Amino acid sequence: MNERVLITGASGFVGYHLIEEALSQNLEVFVAVRKSSKTDHLKDFNIKLTYPKFSDIAALTAEIKANQYDYIIHAAGVTKAKSQKQYNHINATYTANLAKAAVAADVKKFVFMSSLAAGGPLTTLNGIISESDEPHPVTQYGRSKLLAEKELKNIPGLNYTILRPTAVFGPRERDIFIVIKQIVKGFELYIGKAEQKLSFIYVKDLAVATLKAIHGGNKKTYNIADGNFYTKYEMANIIKDILQLNTIKFHLPVTFVKLVASITEKISYLSSNTPALNLDKLNELLGTNWACSIEAAKQELGFYPRYNLDKGLEETIKWYKEHKWLK
Ligand SMILES: NC(=O)c1ccc[n+]([C@@H]2O[C@H](COP(=O)([O-])OP(=O)(O)OC[C@H]3O[C@@H](n4cnc5c(N)ncnc54)[C@H](OP(=O)(O)O)[C@@H]3O)[C@@H](O)[C@H]2O)c1
């Protein structure tokens, strides 16, 4: 019998690529979704859908025992929410509940998709983020992921690996896609003129790293990026090269963007929508230095990224065009 893995967050951007990678490694794949999840794009995969209740540890334990999962990859999470409470509930409490159930059901390994946001950016351009740095998240999202990490570390008997991916891009991604669409329209928008050091990871490499983590790095935390550092203009420069486009650059004053973000945030409280830009997200976008070391993932997980930003964007833009997201 093939080993079994449960992938949560399977209906999302990263989840799709985790399924693809897990199937390529001959794992039997169960995916956790909600009744409301969009799953049409998963219909050609040989997978089994399950609907776990993340608020109920006993029910989670029963499901894990019934389906005899060997591994759990927990990628379900919110990247946009309206309050710290909401972030903590979904990103930390649900994670701890699932992990407690995993221990009760003797799961061999629990891989948690945290985020580089849990550690936070460096405040100067010098240096790179290491897993051993004192965490100082600058967003509610980052604080909720850090809380989840802390809770996992306190669950007796849990075999876990925590992954902290930097900004992820690739086919099906929707936030960096907004930047690509702006470039296609002929303009590049930047918030302020301050220099920044950024890092990225192509989603297929993240999927490889995640599957490596089911077999290694017990009780360890790993930054996941492509190992390179980029200026804030580099992504747009590569996209323009690939699409053979010229653009006009606009540097919006930080105070102006903060004002707009606070207005959209207030409006969003009146609706069920969570805006792509709010004051919290802005703290992340303005981070000075998101360059991170991936030496630990290389040495201990054997994770060697195959894609840099150029190669990953080339493949991503091809996918957006083939799937008519871009003309
Ligand atoms: N994308 C990045 O740049 C990035 C970077 C670092 C870390 N991460 C982490 O990677 C994971 C996947 O991110 P993503 O970019 O793939 O996000 P995504 O496309 O928004 O997918 C999020 C997934 O989580 C599920 N989910 C959200 N709220 C849930 C809830 N209350 N109960 C059950 N499931 C819920 C969603 O299910 P529905 O389809 O039902 O909504 C979806 O499957 C997240 O944990 C995120 O924090 C992402």
Side-chain angles (χ1 to χ4, degrees):
M1 197 175 93
N2 291 351
E3 289 190 305
R4 291 184 170 179
V5 62
L6 173 71
I7 300 175
T8 75
S11 50
F13 156 55
V14 173
Y16 180 94
H17 298 273
L18 293 175
I19 296 173
E20 212 168 38
E21 185 59 28
L23 288 173
S24 81
Q25 299 194 16
N26 292 323
L27 288 163
E28 193 176 342
V29 177
F30 287 68
V31 303
V33 291
R34 298 188 276 185
K35 293 285 178 201
S36 57
S37 302
K38 290 196 178 104
T39 56
D40 275 2
H41 62 301
L42 307 180
K43 67 180 184 312
D44 293 333
F45 282 133
N46 181 17
I47 53 176
K48 294 184 186 66
L49 267 53
T50 73
Y51 301 87
K53 212 172 153 197
F54 291 117
S55 53
D56 184 340
I57 302 176
L60 288 170
T61 308
E63 157 165 354
I64 300 171
K65 281 187 175 163
N67 288 329
Q68 298 182 321
Y69 304 132
D70 295 283
Y71 310 107
I72 294 179
I73 296 174
H74 182 49
V78 271
T79 52
K80 298 178 189 84
K82 287 186 180 174
S83 66
Q84 186 71 67
K85 198 172 158 202
Q86 200 179 358
Y87 273 118
N88 288 355
H89 186 63
I90 297 167
N91 290 347
T93 307
Y94 283 2
T95 301
N97 287 352
L98 187 61
K100 285 174 189 161
V103 173
D106 284 331
V107 166
K108 292 178 197 162
K109 188 61 165 301
F110 185 91
V111 179
F112 173 52
M113 197 64 76
S114 182
S115 166
L116 197 60
L122 299 178
T123 50
T124 63
L125 290 166
N126 297 327
I128 60 174
I129 301 164
S130 140
E131 294 86 347
S132 58
D133 291 349
E134 189 61 35
H136 45 81
V138 293
T139 57
Q140 295 181 346
Y141 167 69
R143 285 190 284 276
S144 71
K145 288 289 191 180
L146 184 62
L147 180 63
E149 293 185 5
K150 285 181 176 159
E151 297 212 1
L152 290 187
K153 290 174 185 172
N154 285 325
I155 298 174
L158 180 69
N159 293 328
Y160 66 84
T161 300
I162 294 168
L163 300 180
R164 287 182 170 176
T166 182
V168 191
F169 71 99
R172 302 182 183 279
E173 197 279 337
R174 291 177 187 278
D175 286 347
I176 291 173
F177 180 60
I178 296 175
V179 175
I180 299 178
K181 278 196 301 189
Q182 279 171 353
I183 291 175
V184 169
K185 286 183 186 151
F187 56 93
E188 287 170 57
L189 287 184
Y190 296 96
I191 305 168
K193 288 193 168 170
E195 207 179 321
Q196 284 178 295
K197 227 164 148 184
L198 304 177
S199 54
F200 296 96
I201 180 75
Y202 187 51
V203 68
K204 289 187 184 176
D205 273 335
L206 172 59
V208 170
T210 309
L211 269 291
K212 283 187 183 289
I214 68 176
H215 299 299
N218 194 20
K219 297 189 176 18
K220 299 294 284 282
T221 301
Y222 298 103
N223 295 333
I224 302 292
D226 72 6
N228 301 306
F229 320 129
Y230 302 93
T231 69
K232 70 180 185 185
Y233 302 113
E234 257 169 298
M235 175 173 261
N237 288 343
I238 296 169
I239 296 167
K240 286 189 292 183
D241 267 2
I242 295 171
L243 293 171
Q244 297 284 298
L245 289 171
N246 291 315
T247 55
I248 303 172
K249 279 193 183 74
F250 293 98
H251 291 87
L252 304 172
V254 175
T255 43
F256 169 74
V257 180
K258 278 190 176 157
L259 181 68
V260 173
S262 72
I263 293 169
T264 54
E265 193 172 299
K266 288 207 171 70
I267 293 171
S268 81
Y269 284 122
L270 306 171
S271 75
S272 58
N273 299 333
T274 36
L277 182 68
N278 56 25
L279 286 172
D280 197 49
K281 180 83 187 160
L282 204 52
N283 288 334
E284 190 174 301
L285 295 175
L286 292 172
T288 301
N289 184 348
W290 285 103
C292 66
S293 162
I294 59 162
E295 280 316 300
K298 280 185 181 167
Q299 299 307 322
E300 295 170 27
L301 297 180
F303 168 59
Y304 291 91
R306 297 163 301 165
Y307 291 84
N308 59 15
L309 195 52
D310 292 70
K311 192 173 164 201
L313 280 172
E314 186 94 45
E315 211 172 273
T316 305
I317 288 174
K318 191 163 170 257
W319 186 91
Y320 286 138
K321 283 186 168 174
E322 281 170 4
H323 291 79
K324 312 270 182 270
W325 288 33
L326 278 183
K327 286 191 187 122

